[in-house]
Amino acid sequence: MRTVPIPVDTTKLAITCVKAPQPRVLNRDTGEIKTDKNGNTVYEVTVSVEDEFGRIELVKIGTTGEPPITTGDQVTAVGLLGYVWEIAGRWGIAYRASALLPAREAANA
């Protein structure tokens, strides 16, 4: 099953890094790290996302290359996409961004 990415409108979201970027591990037994099609390491960042109504969720966002953010940073997710997945009757949404930047840097760009 091939999923179609869904763009996420982040203009009304407050995104905060709650766990520092870590390389995404594909196989815990072998320590194999996920890479993109060009061989670059994929990092995973756990963030809290608060919407305009004050609802908060924890989500993991994947991105290529180590993002220049740390725990507690307000984050701008550039090009955030959601991918709906389903395996054996379970489903969820995987998130991927082209970049995760500190909000203060993204505002100055």
Side-chain angles (χ1 to χ4, degrees):
M1 177 175 110
R2 183 169 171 93
T3 62
V4 177
I6 302 165
V8 178
D9 180 4
T10 60
T11 57
K12 295 181 180 178
L13 301 176
I15 304 171
T16 304
C17 176
V18 296
K19 185 174 179 188
Q22 299 287 323
R24 171 124 188 250
V25 178
L26 280 180
N27 184 323
R28 296 198 189 285
D29 294 332
T30 65
E32 180 184 2
I33 302 295
K34 181 173 178 67
T35 57
D36 67 9
K37 62 185 174 188
N38 297 318
N40 300 309
T41 300
V42 173
Y43 280 78
E44 188 172 73
V45 181
T46 303
V47 298
S48 68
V49 179
E50 183 176 3
D51 68 15
E52 61 188 313
F53 304 107
R55 294 180 295 218
I56 299 173
E57 288 191 40
L58 288 177
V59 298
K60 292 181 180 180
I61 301 175
T63 190
T64 298
E66 186 171 5
I69 58 175
T70 59
T71 302
D73 283 349
Q74 294 296 309
V75 176
T76 298
V78 179
L80 185 61
L81 298 173
Y83 296 84
V84 178
W85 58 267
E86 182 177 355
I87 298 174
R90 295 178 54 222
W91 68 276
I93 303 172
Y95 293 97
R96 179 130 173 116
S98 57
L100 294 171
L101 303 171
R104 63 187 176 280
E105 286 183 21
N108 294 331

